[in-house]
Amino acid sequence: MKFGVGQSVKRTEDIRFVTGQGQYTDDLHFDGETFACFVRSPHGHAKINSIDISAAKDAPGVVDVLTYDDIRAFGANPMPLMAGVKSRDGSDTKTSPKQVLAHGRVTFIGEAVAMVVAETYAQAKDAAELVMVDYDPLDAVGTLEAAPRGPQIWESAPNNLSFDWQDGDEAGVKDAFAKAAHTVSLDVVENRVSAMPMETRNAIGVYDASADAYTIYVTSQGAGNIRGGLARMVLNIPQEKLRVITKDVGGGFGMKGFLYPEQPAVLIAAKKVGRPVRWSAERTESFLADDHGRDMITTGELALDKDGKILALRITGTANMGGYLSVYAPFIPTLAGSRIFGGVYRVPKAYANVKGYFSNSAPVDAYRGAGRPEAAYLMERLMDAAAAKTGIDRAEIRLRNLPAPAELPFANAWGLKYDSGDYPRLLVEGLKRGDRDGFAKRKADAAKRGKLRGFGFAYYVEITGAAGQEPAAIKFTDNGGIELWCGTQSNGQGHETSFAQLVAEKLGVPFESIQVKQGDTEWVNGGGTGGSRSLNMSGGALMLSSDEVIRKGKAAAGQVLQAGGKDVGFEVVEGVGKFAVAGTGQAITVGELAMTLKRDKLPGFEDGLDSDAMYQGKASTFPNGCHVCEVEVDPDTGKTEIVSYTVLDDFGRIINPMLVAGQVHGGVVQGLGQALLENMVYDETSGQLLTASFTDYAMPRASDMPDIDFKYEEIPCVTNDLGAKGCGEAGTVGALPAMMSAVADALGVLHVDMPATPERIWRALREKKAAA
């Protein structure tokens, strides 16, 4: 079917983007609107003695200045934690009562202290300079390494420990290590990064006094998620009193999936001043106040028998939570990735212990992959180390530990069942596509040019989100169009195209007649986009809604076609869906029937064929595959060049190959950016951010990236009816270990930490030479 599932249909939404017709939050304007500028802390840790706003309130154009007193007068709660974890002593996560605007103390540089509302942004920014905050600087601890011994940030968290989480069979793992023929240990650092989407965070608050109701226009990864948390947990208002609208979104990468203080602030201000209040972050604010990602230090240990087969895995890690706990912060370094600690390998016993620490830095939460890149990176680096320790080839030791298709479904050490795949074959085929056999010649040729060439690879597994429920609806318009109402939110993934392909094929309706409606809580409240859940959950909900359209359509067609009690069936033939009366030749298309019901209003079909459904998540899916990376290193300068990159993925059933390739390319680039260039750095003793601009924070450019040779296999999963596994984060999951495997191979060392900057590589080579 043209435009159906499996076709590389060009993204329909791109027409408006490339012609300048996209509509982002910052494109919206309202009568009487005002502009907000936040006064932010210049200190990593300080006591607030007083805030003098008098000069700012008298400044030209200023409408009002808000502080914590205004937040308290409104009755707002502190920012919520939605995903705490239990410590191994049974205690709850030690929390951090972060207010919408700082009260009494600031815990990281860039924390919002006051909010100036003015007629123009320039006036608000000028007036913000006049807000006099009397700070008493306190001792600070800006890094994860120093957090346990640093000054205490929160009273409830001695030694800055927020949680001490564990899972697995500690005793069994200890016993396996005691009996092992080989053991290997490796310390790895997951460097802190920032999402840096093209569109910065923003929010516009509107208050309707006549209805005592609020509307917020905000860039996000799901209006429904924002509504629930913002209304009930922060503003203390009934959920039906808040409407959340998200227009086009210029990138999210996990970072836009959370609640932020600026969101309730603009709504509280809008009510106070009686006018719309808008805010859009400057790039420096993004560096300072966006939630960051990663920032872990982990020791991984493997126990193996004499043949290189894994006996046990032990993980001991620390994770940086920042100055206060973001919405899902404790979940990310623990439960989000722990379920796939060990990858897809046979790991009989496993144990993990992760401690989360507060520090005087921006909060840390989900970033593309959210715990799964960390898990894959650790395991794949351990597999390389195990190969070196045992003398077994890097590919061979993996093959000895990968379950064959006949062993599936296969339960890992955590009880998670991998349902589908062909891991050994994809590893072998991936290495073949990356031409491992020809690497020795390329390495020798590079040496003649004075370069060090390295070959790296990784076999990754991802786990997608499938928890809870997800609604969707299909609506037929008066002019013959079809609207798909979805609760997930495209951030560039191409939902408007892929969802339309699903329904066009299922119902046999014209692809071009379908419009995806998303980002408005008056349409549908869903779980948003995150964890590569959209295709599984929204796709599943749309399929159920389509089934309901067919069910209603059969009954309605029986009346319209005067079937006289004869069976009415539904079939899609040559791309056209028709309801037909058995044995009569009478038939009517979906579109014709929908228009007839709109016109004639048959009893019992007042809503026509409009249908909705709630999809219950069944089980996670497991994208997996082989990434192969080849690099050349200049030993004189330490500069690393990625000379080739090959990906072979298993994403299950593919809806749109072109969209999948785009997602993989983007994910790989973000992974390679972290591995090669990106690093958010805080001063240990002051909490000052040392990389607060693109001058110091190195974002990957096109010239840094290789061409990506991407291919896929379709091995459908059996945990959802679509057979699709998801692809949005998989590129990042595989890229980190593949890249650093290649770098270590080029240098001839066991391991080097990310990012592989020229200085770090140069020093590693000098240290190797000195140790020789």
Side-chain angles (χ1 to χ4, degrees):
M1 174 183 177
K2 187 179 181 182
F3 302 127
V5 171
Q7 302 297 311
S8 287
V9 179
K10 291 183 178 180
R11 299 191 344 166
T12 57
E13 52 267 58
D14 284 348
I15 296 173
R16 70 172 187 273
F17 291 144
V18 300
T19 58
Q21 300 303 306
Q23 189 176 55
Y24 300 85
T25 302
D26 217 36
D27 292 322
L28 305 175
H29 293 281
F30 301 88
D31 292 340
E33 67 182 14
T34 60
F35 293 78
C37 179
F38 288 89
V39 178
R40 299 186 181 275
S41 170
H43 301 284
H45 196 198
K47 178 184 178 183
I48 300 174
N49 294 319
S50 64
I51 304 175
D52 184 354
I53 62 174
S54 56
K57 293 191 77 168
D58 290 339
V62 171
V63 178
D64 206 346
V65 181
L66 284 73
T67 65
Y68 169 73
D69 290 341
D70 298 285
I71 306 302
R72 181 181 59 189
F74 182 91
N77 293 324
M79 300 302 295
L81 171 66
M82 297 184 184
V85 296
K86 289 283 188 181
S87 288
R88 53 180 168 176
D89 64 3
S91 62
D92 292 328
T93 299
K94 304 300 187 296
T95 57
S96 48
K98 170 70 182 75
Q99 303 293 339
V100 173
L101 294 176
H103 173 55
R105 227 163 28 100
V106 291
T107 60
F108 68 97
I109 183 173
E111 183 172 357
V113 175
M115 177 187 188
V116 178
V117 180
E119 299 292 348
T120 68
Y121 180 67
Q123 290 172 329
K125 191 172 182 180
D126 287 344
E129 298 285 342
L130 301 177
V131 175
M132 296 291 105
V133 185
D134 180 16
Y135 294 103
D136 184 6
L138 302 172
D139 291 339
V141 55
T143 65
L144 174 59
E145 296 89 335
R149 65 179 187 276
Q152 188 167 328
I153 298 171
W154 294 101
E155 184 178 346
S156 64
N159 302 314
N160 294 316
L161 182 65
S162 175
F163 58 85
D164 181 2
W165 171 89
Q166 70 172 1
D167 195 11
D169 183 358
E170 184 176 15
V173 167
K174 183 177 180 180
D175 183 60
F177 269 83
K179 298 175 180 178
H182 304 283
T183 63
V184 62
S185 177
L186 193 66
D187 297 329
V188 302
V189 174
E190 275 280 351
N191 47 316
R192 178 186 280 238
V193 293
S194 183
M196 290 297 147
M198 291 180 68
E199 179 199 28
T200 60
R201 287 192 297 116
N202 51 52
I204 304 172
V206 179
Y207 176 68
D208 180 357
S210 65
D212 189 27
Y214 303 79
T215 301
I216 186 169
Y217 299 83
V218 61
T219 182
S220 79
Q221 292 178 213
N225 275 349
I226 298 294
R227 184 194 196 193
L230 190 53
R232 293 182 286 104
M233 296 183 178
V234 184
L235 296 176
N236 270 325
I237 62 174
Q239 187 165 298
E240 60 270 17
K241 289 289 186 179
L242 176 63
R243 181 182 183 184
V244 180
I245 297 174
T246 293
K247 295 291 188 179
D248 290 323
V249 178
F253 314 120
M255 185 273 291
K256 289 182 180 175
F258 323 123
L259 296 178
Y260 286 92
E262 295 88 355
Q263 296 161 353
V266 297
L267 291 169
I268 293 170
K271 181 176 183 179
K272 189 167 188 284
V273 305
R275 296 166 61 182
V277 177
R278 64 184 304 126
W279 167 77
S280 185
E282 294 185 346
R283 185 58 68 180
T284 299
E285 287 184 284
S286 294
F287 276 100
L288 296 174
D290 287 357
D291 283 359
H292 295 164
R294 315 291 193 236
D295 206 351
M296 292 186 67
I297 302 172
T298 309
T299 297
E301 300 171 90
L302 275 181
L304 305 103
D305 69 11
K306 62 182 178 60
D307 298 318
K309 293 184 178 179
I310 299 169
L311 301 175
L313 167 68
R314 181 161 53 209
I315 294 171
T316 309
T318 57
N320 199 340
M321 297 291 100
Y324 73 93
L325 296 178
S326 181
V327 176
Y328 306 113
F331 176 78
I332 302 306
T334 56
L335 295 167
S338 70
R339 295 168 294 169
I340 55 168
F341 282 161
V344 287
Y345 302 108
R346 299 186 202 91
V347 180
K349 302 286 184 181
Y351 172 74
N353 173 219
V354 178
K355 296 178 180 179
Y357 288 97
F358 291 111
S359 71
N360 295 119
S361 62
V364 179
D365 211 311
Y367 172 68
R368 197 167 191 167
R372 288 95 79 200
E374 294 91 321
Y377 179 61
L378 177 65
M379 190 62 193
E380 288 303 296
R381 298 305 299 125
L382 275 173
M383 293 302 287
D384 276 4
K389 182 69 176 286
T390 60
I392 301 171
D393 175 76
R394 287 185 288 167
E396 175 60 26
I397 198 169
R398 286 171 166 85
L399 288 170
R400 292 184 188 185
N401 288 283
L402 286 172
E407 298 175 66
L408 303 181
F410 173 79
N412 70 4
W414 314 98
L416 195 70
K417 289 188 177 180
Y418 298 125
D419 65 289
S420 58
D422 192 343
Y423 317 132
R425 181 172 64 81
L426 262 67
L427 174 59
V428 171
E429 182 63 24
L431 292 175
K432 181 179 178 181
R433 293 190 59 81
D435 190 22
R436 191 185 189 206
D437 290 344
F439 173 69
K441 182 180 185 305
R442 296 192 297 278
K443 184 179 180 70
D445 291 342
K448 294 176 184 178
R449 295 181 278 107
K451 300 293 181 67
L452 304 174
R453 195 164 180 124
F455 187 95
F457 59 94
Y459 202 95
Y460 80 93
V461 65
E462 224 267 84
I463 179 171
T464 65
Q469 297 178 319
E470 186 65 34
I474 298 176
K475 307 285 186 179
F476 292 83
T477 66
D478 292 337
N479 63 358
I482 301 171
E483 295 178 347
L484 311 182
W485 292 15
C486 300
T488 49
Q489 179 69 48
S490 178
N491 295 238
Q493 294 92 337
H495 292 179
E496 295 178 43
T497 303
S498 56
F499 290 165
Q501 287 180 261
L502 283 174
V503 174
E505 177 165 290
K506 176 82 172 183
L507 295 181
V509 294
F511 171 83
E512 58 273 12
S513 71
I514 299 174
Q515 181 183 13
V516 173
K517 307 280 280 187
Q518 59 183 353
D520 191 331
T521 55
E522 287 205 348
W523 294 336
V524 65
N525 281 278
T529 291
S532 300
R533 72 187 293 275
S534 295
L535 183 57
N536 184 353
M537 300 298 285
S538 269
L542 286 169
M543 292 299 95
L544 290 181
S545 298
S546 298
D547 289 338
E548 181 64 11
V549 169
I550 294 170
R551 186 195 68 78
K552 291 174 69 173
K554 288 179 179 179
Q559 293 189 36
V560 171
L561 299 176
Q562 298 180 347
K566 293 181 180 178
D567 288 340
V568 177
F570 176 77
E571 188 177 11
V572 178
V573 179
E574 296 184 351
V576 179
K578 292 183 179 182
F579 298 97
V581 180
T584 67
Q586 291 180 287
I588 187 170
T589 68
V590 173
E592 291 168 344
L593 179 59
M595 291 295 288
T596 299
L597 296 179
K598 286 282 185 182
R599 182 187 66 237
D600 296 343
K601 303 292 184 184
L602 293 183
F605 297 96
E606 288 78 11
D607 293 328
L609 294 182
D610 292 359
S611 300
D612 58 66
M614 182 71 74
Y615 180 77
Q616 176 64 53
K618 299 175 183 177
S620 293
T621 61
F622 304 100
N624 64 91
C626 181
H627 284 222
V628 180
C629 179
E630 212 163 312
V631 302
E632 283 191 358
V633 174
D634 185 331
D636 295 324
T637 65
K639 180 174 174 57
T640 300
E641 180 185 1
I642 307 169
V643 292
S644 71
Y645 202 94
T646 303
V647 180
L648 178 61
D649 280 318
D650 166 20
F651 291 143
R653 187 185 185 202
I654 300 295
I655 308 305
N656 185 314
M658 185 185 300
L659 297 187
V660 169
Q663 286 295 292
V664 172
H665 289 180
V668 167
V669 168
Q670 283 192 277
L672 296 180
Q674 178 182 351
L676 186 65
L677 298 163
E678 299 180 54
N679 201 19
M680 294 294 281
V681 180
Y682 282 86
D683 180 74
E684 180 179 308
T685 58
S686 69
Q688 287 291 327
L689 180 59
L690 305 179
T691 52
S693 75
F694 288 132
T695 302
D696 302 299
Y697 185 84
M699 290 283 284
R701 302 185 181 189
S703 58
D704 298 313
M705 295 296 112
D707 289 334
I708 299 170
D709 179 5
F710 166 65
K711 293 293 186 294
Y712 61 86
E713 298 264 351
E714 291 189 85
I715 304 176
C717 69
V718 298
T719 53
N720 65 60
D721 293 339
L722 290 174
K725 297 180 180 178
C727 66
E729 295 165 301
T732 304
V733 178
L736 299 181
M739 169 71 185
M740 297 312 293
S741 174
V743 170
D745 186 57
L747 302 186
V749 300
L750 183 64
H751 180 69
V752 60
D753 278 322
M754 303 182 290
T757 60
E759 179 186 0
R760 180 164 290 175
I761 298 303
W762 185 87
R763 291 187 183 279
L765 287 169
R766 295 305 177 272
E767 289 170 3
K768 178 187 174 185
K769 184 176 181 180

